[in-house]
């Protein structure tokens, strides 16, 4: 066990395999921050300016490549050291790998806008590296002669092939990870360089009276980073804007083809629309409100001239997901748009960069196609879509609903006047009233904040004179047609949940 090279090889193989596995996993779960890139970013942040300048002076635009090669050398050297130490004095080598993983975890956690999930690949790398090193050094020990087994209990060849297999598998995983993530990273870089055009029609500013200043109440416009995300994409499609095309096909007089540059050159309009998922439970958080920048789909469909007997548009995303939208919802005067902007930013990749659909009044599964590349004009009796094939309703108008944001369910509050507040929505129709019921008392009218439009949710509040004890609070909305939200409980399948959001609080 005195020798250096064999344990060092075991250490290098373990580290390569750990990092390779982590690179592959990160390509799927975090996408824009593999462990190696994240540590690289930390190194850049910590490098003093004079050294940065010196490196750029020597390597020019190859400075990033220099960094990656340096990190690779450091990993190999660290792996060799860990293997050697593990053979000499276990578990020092495994501890060293754990420390290396901790650097990756710290690098991930200290990056702006990253969460626990970003640290996961580095933690995985460390665990895999530690287990593999323990295994390989165990095999190596087995090759040493003992009295019972003069030629060792494990053959040399077994150790060599296990080490080589580990290293090769790790390297292949790392390469696969790079391939999987490269499209995403390229699109991410393109998005970072992209400046949204000025709207031809700007949204009216959000009126101050549309918001109440109550802690815990959902902000009237949902920040992009907090916007719920729902899709079937295991790997977010990475689309280069210059490669993007929209084709309008099917039952049309003229097929239409549009590039990204052509779309941006059109007079884009801003509109504020609340998006909701059909899977949103009563009281759930799969809903968000944003100001979108885009071009009305009806103008593009007018160019294509749908045939008179068409009644549906099947929108298709680059990764093959489809939504079936009533043709009427895309040709009437509502703000059904092909969106390129979200709250003043280019669409985030996970929300459909470079182009998605937004259709007020319909659940996302039948309208809000992200990474959209085709609109096929057709008929409901000829073609079905991703979720309608899986038992969800063909038609998906958003149902009138309301939610209590504060107090949170199960909370204890001080007796006296308690602010009860939340949001209510009935996109494309509008909300005209919200009522609150305490225990089995009468329905009492809440105060509504101003509406932005019928297409957006509306905040409400109610000053509750709370007496000590346990209480139950219910909310219900009334839409602009005078329809009262139903108390009948229905599950999200097949066309959206119904029932009244109800919370329990303790007043002390
Ligand atoms: N390409 C694609 N677009 C999609 C989906 C999807 O799975 N793939 N899911 C839809 C569903 S079910 C909803 S609710 C909305 C959610 O949009 P968001 O993730 O931007 O909030 O996107 C819709 N667009
Ligand atoms: Mo959804």
């Amino acid at each position: 066990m005195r020798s250096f090279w064999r344990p060092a090889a075991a250490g290098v193989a373990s580290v390569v395999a750990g990092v390779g596995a982590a690179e592959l996993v990160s390509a799927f779960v975090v996408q824009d921050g593999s462990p190696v890139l994240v540590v690289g970013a930390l190194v850049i942040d910590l490098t003093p300016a004079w050294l940065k300048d010196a490196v750029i002076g020597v390597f020019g635009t190859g400075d990033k490549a220099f960094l990656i090669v340096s990190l690779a050398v450091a990993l190999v050297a660290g792996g060799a050291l860990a293997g050697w130490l593990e053979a000499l004095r276990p578990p020092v080598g495994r501890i060293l790998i754990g420390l290396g993983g901790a650097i990756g975890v710290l690098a991930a956690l200290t990056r702006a806008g990253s969460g626990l999930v970003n640290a996961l690949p580095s933690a995985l790398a460390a665990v895999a590296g530690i287990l593999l090193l323990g295994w390989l050094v165990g095999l190596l020990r087995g090759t040493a002669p003992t009295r019972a087994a003069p030629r060792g209990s494990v053959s040399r060849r077994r150790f060599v092939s296990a080490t080589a297999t580990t290293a090769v598998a790790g390297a292949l995983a790392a390469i696969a990870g790079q391939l999987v993530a490269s499209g995403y990273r390229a699109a991410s870089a393109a998005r970072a360089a992209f400046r949204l055009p000025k709207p031809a029609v700007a949204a009216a500013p959000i009126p101050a009276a549309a918001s109440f200043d109550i802690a815990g109440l959902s902000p009237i416009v949902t920040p992009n980073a907090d916007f719920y995300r729902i899709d079937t994409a295991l790997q977010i499609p990475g689309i280069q804007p210059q490669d993007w095309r929209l084709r309008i096909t099917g039952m049309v007089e003229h097929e239409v083809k549009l590039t990204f540059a052509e779309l941006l050159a059109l007079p884009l309009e801003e509109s504020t629309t609340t998006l909701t998922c059909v899977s949103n439970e009563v009281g759930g958080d799969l809903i968000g409100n944003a100001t979108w920048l885009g071009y009305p789909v009806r103008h593009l469909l007018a160019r294509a001239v749908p045939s008179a007997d068409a009644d549906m548009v099947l929108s298709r995303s680059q990764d093959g997901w489809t939504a079936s939208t009533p043709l009427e919802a895309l040709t009437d005067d509502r703000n059904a748009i092909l969106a390129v902007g979200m709250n003043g930013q280019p669409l985030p990749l996970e929300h459909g960069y470079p182009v998605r659909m937004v259709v007020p009044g319909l659940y996302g599964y039948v309208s809000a196609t992200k990474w959209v590349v085709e609109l096929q004009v057709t008929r409901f009796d000829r073609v079905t879509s991703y979720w309608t094939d899986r038992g969800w309703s063909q038609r998906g108008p958003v149902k009138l609903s309301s939610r209590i944001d504060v107090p949170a369910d199960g909370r204890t509050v001080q007796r006296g006047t308690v602010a009860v507040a939340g949001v209510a929505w009935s996109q494309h129709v509008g909300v005209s009233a919200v009522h609150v019921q305490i225990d089995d008392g009468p329905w009492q009218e809440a105060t509504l904040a101003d509406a932005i439009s019928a297409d957006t949710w509306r905040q409400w509040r109610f000053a509750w004179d709370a007496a000590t004890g346990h209480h139950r609070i219910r909310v219900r909305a009334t839409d602009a047609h005078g329809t009262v939200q139903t108390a009948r409980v229905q599950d999200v399948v097949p066309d959206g949940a119904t029932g009244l959001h109800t919370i329990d609080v303790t007043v002390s």
Side-chain angles (χ1 to χ4, degrees):
M1 290 305 286
R2 290 267 154 64
S3 80
F4 173 75
W5 292 108
R6 268 183 233 116
V12 172
S14 307
V15 166
V16 167
V19 172
E23 289 286 314
L24 186 55
V25 167
S26 90
F28 288 100
V29 301
V30 279
Q31 273 130 359
D32 66 344
S34 79
V36 172
L37 292 182
V38 161
V39 171
L42 182 71
V43 171
I44 292 177
D45 291 347
L46 296 180
T47 305
W50 62 265
L51 187 55
K52 256 183 227 169
D53 293 344
V55 169
I56 293 172
V58 174
F59 294 97
T61 51
D63 58 337
K64 300 282 184 307
F66 171 75
L67 176 67
I68 300 288
V69 170
S70 308
L71 285 173
V73 169
L75 276 174
V76 168
L81 182 66
W84 180 60
L85 288 173
E86 182 67 19
L88 278 183
R89 225 178 278 272
V92 175
R94 279 175 286 171
I95 290 174
L96 192 65
I97 291 184
L99 290 175
I103 293 177
V105 167
L106 278 181
L109 291 182
T110 51
R111 259 184 26 137
S114 71
L116 264 185
V117 67
N118 298 72
L120 190 106
S122 292
L124 174 92
V127 170
I130 286 169
L131 292 176
L132 287 166
L133 184 62
W135 174 58
L136 290 176
V137 169
L139 286 181
L140 182 58
R141 259 198 200 100
T143 63
T146 58
R147 188 162 305 160
R151 306 185 58 201
S153 57
V154 176
S155 73
R156 276 278 162 78
R157 177 179 292 190
R158 173 93 211 285
F159 166 74
V160 170
S161 81
T163 303
T165 308
T166 302
V168 168
L172 289 179
I175 291 167
Q178 297 314 305
L179 290 179
V180 168
S182 64
Y184 180 92
R185 289 186 191 131
S188 186
R191 177 181 180 272
F194 170 57
R195 296 282 160 272
L196 276 183
K198 286 241 154 16
V201 181
I206 309 288
S211 303
F212 294 129
D213 183 15
I214 297 175
L217 174 60
S218 302
I220 189 68
V221 173
T222 313
N224 290 354
D226 301 339
F227 209 94
Y228 80 97
R229 175 189 163 197
I230 293 285
D231 54 62
T232 59
L234 185 55
Q235 172 69 19
I236 292 175
I239 304 176
Q240 287 293 324
Q242 68 271 16
D243 296 339
W244 181 85
R245 298 281 181 284
L246 179 81
R247 298 189 314 129
I248 304 182
T249 62
M251 300 167 67
V252 292
E253 242 168 66
H254 318 285
E255 291 214 343
V256 171
K257 204 176 213 177
L258 195 75
T259 65
F260 194 57
E262 286 165 345
L263 174 60
L264 295 182
L266 294 169
L268 303 186
E269 302 178 7
E270 272 182 335
S271 48
T272 303
T273 295
T274 300
L275 200 65
T276 321
C277 183
V278 68
S279 298
N280 194 37
E281 311 267 355
V282 170
D285 58 5
L286 300 180
I287 177 166
N289 185 42
T291 298
W292 309 91
L293 174 67
Y295 188 68
V297 182
R298 63 179 183 278
H299 297 331
L300 293 174
L301 285 172
R303 282 195 205 174
V305 189
S307 36
D309 53 343
D311 65 359
M312 185 261 267
V313 173
L314 188 80
S315 52
R316 184 173 281 112
S317 76
Q318 195 209 241
D319 63 347
W321 187 86
T322 51
S324 43
T325 310
L327 178 62
E328 202 197 322
L330 301 178
T331 50
D332 66 17
D333 61 359
R334 82 182 76 197
N335 285 316
I337 58 168
L338 283 176
V340 297
M342 180 176 185
N343 293 330
Q345 302 290 319
L347 279 181
L349 266 72
E350 64 272 30
H351 293 294
Y353 179 83
V355 185
R356 76 172 304 167
M357 297 229 299
V358 176
V359 183
L362 301 181
Y363 287 123
Y365 81 106
V366 288
S367 69
T369 306
K370 307 191 270 191
W371 317 290
V372 64
V373 294
E374 185 185 351
L375 304 180
Q376 178 191 345
V377 179
T378 180
R379 290 179 52 88
F380 275 109
D381 60 14
R382 288 190 196 161
V383 179
T384 52
S385 63
Y386 188 91
W387 285 116
T388 63
D389 281 341
R390 289 162 176 78
W392 295 79
S393 167
Q394 206 168 61
R395 306 283 166 154
V398 173
K399 293 179 179 175
L400 168 64
S401 196
S402 52
R403 185 178 78 193
I404 303 168
D405 287 345
V406 280
D409 192 17
R411 235 2 112 67
T412 299
V413 296
Q414 292 284 314
R415 75 190 165 87
T417 305
V418 171
V420 181
V423 283
W425 59 92
S426 177
Q427 288 94 310
H428 201 55
V429 174
V431 168
S432 64
V434 168
H435 289 81
V436 171
Q437 184 188 42
I438 308 294
D439 302 321
D440 293 318
W443 284 97
Q444 305 179 69
E445 190 156 5
T447 305
L448 287 175
D450 281 5
I452 299 175
S453 78
D455 295 336
T456 63
W457 63 9
R458 216 167 158 177
Q459 291 184 350
W460 59 266
R461 72 166 175 203
F462 177 74
W464 172 35
D465 186 15
T468 50
H470 295 290
H471 297 286
R472 176 155 291 182
I473 309 177
R474 282 192 183 81
V475 64
R476 81 173 190 211
T478 303
D479 74 15
H481 298 148
T483 308
V484 177
Q485 182 183 341
T486 179
R488 201 172 64 80
V489 174
Q490 195 204 289
D491 185 29
V492 296
V493 186
D495 64 354
T498 62
L500 303 183
H501 189 208
T502 305
I503 64 164
D504 292 301
V505 293
T506 304
V507 179
S508 67

